[in-house]
Amino acid sequence: MEIERYMATTLAQAHTVIVDNGQNPPAIRFPPVFNVAVAFIDRQVAEGGADRPALRTAEGDVSYGQLAANVARCGNALKSLGFQRGERLLVVVKDTPLFFYVFWGAVKAGFVPVAVNTLLKSADYRFLAEDSGCAGVIYSPDLAAEVVPGARSALNKPAHVLSTDEIAATMKSKPDTLDPAPTRPDEDCFWLYSSGSTGKPKGVVHVHRDMVVTSARYGVGTLGIKSQDVVFCASKLFFSYGFGGGMTFPLWAGATVCLCEELPSADMAFRMIEKFRPTVYFAVPTLYGQQVHSLDSVPRELSSIKIAASAGEALPAAIFRKWQEKTGISILDGIGSTEALHIFISNRHDDIKPGTSGRPVPGYEVKIVDEAGNPVAPGQVGTLWVKGDSTARCYWNNPEKTALTMRDGWLNTGDMYSVDEQGYYVNAGRGDDMLKVGAMWCSPTEIEGKLLEHPKVREAAVIGRADEDGLVKPAAYIVPKNAADANDSMVQELQEFCKSNLAGYKYPRWFTFVSELPKTVTGKIQRFRLRQGEGA
Ligand code: 3UK
């Protein structure tokens, strides 16, 4: 029986996690006092890895020793500002080493970092500051124009609104060691926000244990990331897919992470891969799709990649095959969520069925149930629930939504799935009307609301439709105020209107004019009937 014993020798308390790989699934045991920053950061140094590269950027490398010192300095800097145990710190920071210092420094000192999308507007930051009740906001300097007014106008008046430049300056004079806050494995550790179907984003609360579980079970157990690996994740750290792929898995394994501040694009990903030659690559299906198309005309040097993972939306079998043809390696699709923290059903190197999400990751239990909550037979579609040790404790301040989604340790994913005779899980879209477009949430009601603001539109409905690559994009059904307007120039006009008033990926790619929309007797739009082909 192989036992990995992770000791943080610098500590007075026992901060030992035992991952017993001799068991399937590996048993993970935590001591009663456990601060996860020690298990991720200090452990690497304690095990002799101080000189190994942890972070790699265009400016150079940061070793594990330097990382641990900067995490301690940042934790000390935050403590000196007067933060209290359990207080939230909104982190609006781009993918840079400072993200690591602030995040892990806060965790080590016992504060709760809340990493949020860096692309939002000031009204959104105001909402996030108020909803989280944060005591402080830390932002990348070039985001000041949106973050600062939002944070300053929040009713809870966060005591500290600081740029990473200011934090970095304060860190300089602080000690490079820090006693970890004596937290518990089930104590709140960090949050991520998930944009919901309707209304405002929800704070997803994760505890100290959760990152260990996803890293051990999926990062190392399923993907097999090792300390020699160089990892590049095209998704950003504030998205929990990127949070795992671009931060926690490589750190857990003692590997090297490549960081890029830019937003993901095929060009950015190719440049990063050619420059840093990663062995492990994480991307979303839409990005893989753009990359395989671009490879048709311009060959790129991708031979360093040994492991390629995909999540966020279903990976069409066609993109899997084209990528394999061009690079010789298989993409491992897996489904995860912010609430589960990471992937809980996945394909594996030695067990792949293209066009499916694979099989449950050992350590997670899943079930597919009908509307009465009873398990469905193989081949039948039902709602997917998951149970595992990394699922969120709750949605912050939202007991109704928590009660609906999290029951007896089970998490309702909201996804429709079937399982085939061989045990592979097949995605059948969402149970609600939500869409995942380029792995980002897309609410039909938001797009419909925008279309209804257009003077020529009487009614609008939006559903998802697969494009030629099999990737879902919004499609709109429009009842015009004046039937005579229903022509190509109105389509152009509506598309431009959406492009300039909504986030870039949300504009409808197809428009169909109809004389009426299918509705319930109470007047609600029945999008499922449009999906079934009515109104086409
Ligand atoms: C959908 C998928 C089909 C599905 C995520 C990996 O996407 C992530 O988190 P989110 O909270 O959204 C979760 C929802 O996205 N989805 C994700 N992966 C797949 N659908 N095939 C897939 N492979 O609707 C799920 O409920 O934004 C993904 C790791 C961490 C994550 N947070």
Side-chain angles (χ1 to χ4, degrees):
M1 183 162 67
E2 179 199 350
I3 295 189
E4 292 175 37
R5 179 172 278 264
Y6 295 138
M7 294 280 285
T9 50
T10 51
L11 300 173
Q13 299 105 346
H15 278 76
T16 313
V17 192
I18 296 173
V19 181
D20 185 346
N21 285 327
Q23 307 207 349
N24 193 13
I28 305 176
R29 285 188 282 277
F30 296 90
V33 174
F34 176 73
N35 185 313
V36 70
V38 177
F40 274 81
I41 309 287
D42 304 63
R43 173 172 60 89
Q44 300 299 348
V45 176
E47 288 178 351
D51 295 332
R52 296 184 41 76
L55 312 179
R56 184 157 289 164
T57 71
E59 280 79 53
D61 284 2
V62 176
S63 69
Y64 273 96
Q66 291 168 323
L67 174 62
N70 281 320
V71 165
R73 285 194 190 99
C74 192
N76 283 317
L78 295 171
K79 270 176 98 163
S80 71
L81 292 170
F83 286 101
Q84 301 297 311
R85 173 116 163 230
E87 276 185 343
R88 274 81 56 206
L89 177 65
L90 208 63
V91 179
V92 200
V93 176
K94 293 186 168 186
D95 288 17
T96 57
L98 255 311
F99 184 103
F100 286 64
Y101 308 157
V102 170
F103 180 88
W104 292 101
V107 169
K108 191 166 185 189
F111 316 133
V112 178
V114 181
V116 300
N117 193 330
T118 55
L119 303 172
L120 301 176
K121 300 288 176 208
S122 62
D124 306 309
Y125 292 120
R126 176 184 170 156
F127 168 80
L128 292 169
E130 289 177 352
D131 186 67
S132 64
C134 62
V137 180
I138 297 193
Y139 59 91
S140 292
D142 43 330
L143 306 175
E146 297 296 343
V147 179
V148 175
R152 294 256 179 249
S153 61
L155 295 173
N156 54 316
K157 298 255 172 283
H160 305 283
V161 180
L162 299 170
S163 75
T164 47
D165 285 349
E166 290 168 292
I167 279 289
T170 315
M171 280 166 60
K172 282 208 177 85
S173 61
K174 296 288 183 268
D176 61 3
T177 58
L178 166 66
D179 282 339
T183 45
R184 299 181 317 272
D186 60 354
E187 181 166 333
D188 291 0
C189 179
F190 69 97
W191 311 358
L192 296 166
Y193 267 87
S194 177
S195 33
S197 41
T198 46
K200 296 295 187 183
K202 303 179 289 294
V204 179
V205 179
H206 281 286
V207 302
H208 277 256
R209 176 181 62 216
D210 298 351
M211 291 184 256
V212 175
V213 172
T214 53
S215 301
R217 295 204 161 137
Y218 175 72
V220 173
T222 301
L223 293 180
I225 300 178
K226 297 195 166 49
S227 63
Q228 303 84 328
D229 278 313
V230 175
V231 179
F232 172 58
C233 175
S235 295
K236 299 283 109 184
L237 295 170
F238 63 74
F239 173 26
S240 89
Y241 178 51
F243 178 88
M247 185 169 78
T248 65
F249 305 162
L251 292 184
W252 182 252
T256 304
V257 185
C258 306
L259 293 174
C260 179
E261 290 185 45
E262 276 172 59
L263 293 177
S265 66
D267 177 58
M268 170 272 216
F270 284 136
R271 270 189 283 119
M272 285 296 286
I273 296 166
E274 288 179 337
K275 183 173 168 74
F276 294 116
R277 302 198 53 75
T279 53
V280 182
Y281 178 50
F282 291 87
V284 299
T286 294
L287 182 53
Y288 280 115
Q290 291 164 349
Q291 289 185 286
V292 291
H293 287 307
S294 147
L295 288 172
D296 280 337
S297 44
V298 191
R300 309 293 294 236
E301 172 48 44
L302 307 176
S303 63
S304 63
I305 301 173
K306 305 285 176 274
I307 300 173
S310 174
E313 59 187 323
L315 177 74
I319 294 180
F320 173 94
R321 295 216 168 85
K322 284 186 201 154
W323 175 270
Q324 199 177 40
E325 243 169 60
K326 295 196 166 21
T327 68
I329 58 160
S330 308
I331 304 174
L332 304 178
D333 185 16
I335 175 176
S337 71
T338 309
E339 288 82 350
L341 188 54
H342 220 275
I343 288 172
F344 49 86
I345 299 179
S346 184
N347 289 280
R348 309 173 63 101
H349 308 290
D350 54 353
D351 186 15
I352 299 176
K353 184 163 181 187
T356 77
S357 306
R359 302 179 200 269
V361 170
Y364 293 90
E365 244 184 286
V366 303
K367 62 181 181 185
I368 302 175
V369 301
D370 63 17
E371 273 162 20
N374 299 313
V376 301
Q380 299 294 303
V381 173
T383 303
L384 180 74
W385 290 68
V386 58
K387 188 177 195 169
D389 295 332
S390 64
T391 58
R393 182 173 73 72
C394 65
Y395 291 117
W396 182 252
N397 244 343
N398 200 336
E400 300 82 25
K401 187 74 191 158
T402 301
L404 279 175
T405 312
M406 302 168 194
R407 275 190 224 152
D408 307 324
W410 286 92
L411 176 75
N412 182 349
T413 65
D415 293 303
M416 304 307 288
Y417 262 84
S418 64
V419 60
D420 68 15
E421 296 290 347
Q422 301 152 301
Y424 294 99
Y425 283 72
V426 182
N427 181 272
R430 294 280 309 167
D432 48 26
D433 291 320
M434 291 297 284
L435 309 176
K436 270 303 197 82
V437 176
M440 293 173 285
W441 286 114
C442 193
S443 161
T445 51
E446 183 193 357
I447 304 170
E448 290 160 5
K450 193 50 68 187
L451 287 165
L452 288 172
E453 286 174 19
H454 193 279
K456 293 184 182 167
V457 174
R458 182 185 307 280
E459 291 181 12
V462 170
I463 59 171
R465 185 184 293 169
D467 68 8
E468 63 278 9
D469 288 324
L471 295 163
V472 171
K473 303 281 181 287
Y477 291 80
I478 304 286
V479 182
K481 281 192 184 145
N482 183 347
D485 284 335
N487 56 29
D488 287 353
S489 82
M490 181 167 166
V491 167
Q492 284 279 318
E493 220 176 291
L494 292 179
Q495 212 164 34
E496 287 311 316
F497 184 70
C498 289
K499 280 188 185 173
S500 44
N501 291 291
L502 291 167
Y505 62 95
K506 293 181 178 171
Y507 72 92
R509 310 306 197 266
W510 306 273
F511 285 84
T512 308
F513 291 106
V514 291
S515 54
E516 57 181 332
L517 292 172
K519 295 205 192 78
T520 63
V521 283
T522 57
K524 273 179 83 174
I525 298 171
Q526 293 172 307
R527 294 188 194 81
F528 73 92
R529 287 177 59 188
L530 291 170
R531 285 196 289 268
Q532 288 163 359
E534 283 180 52

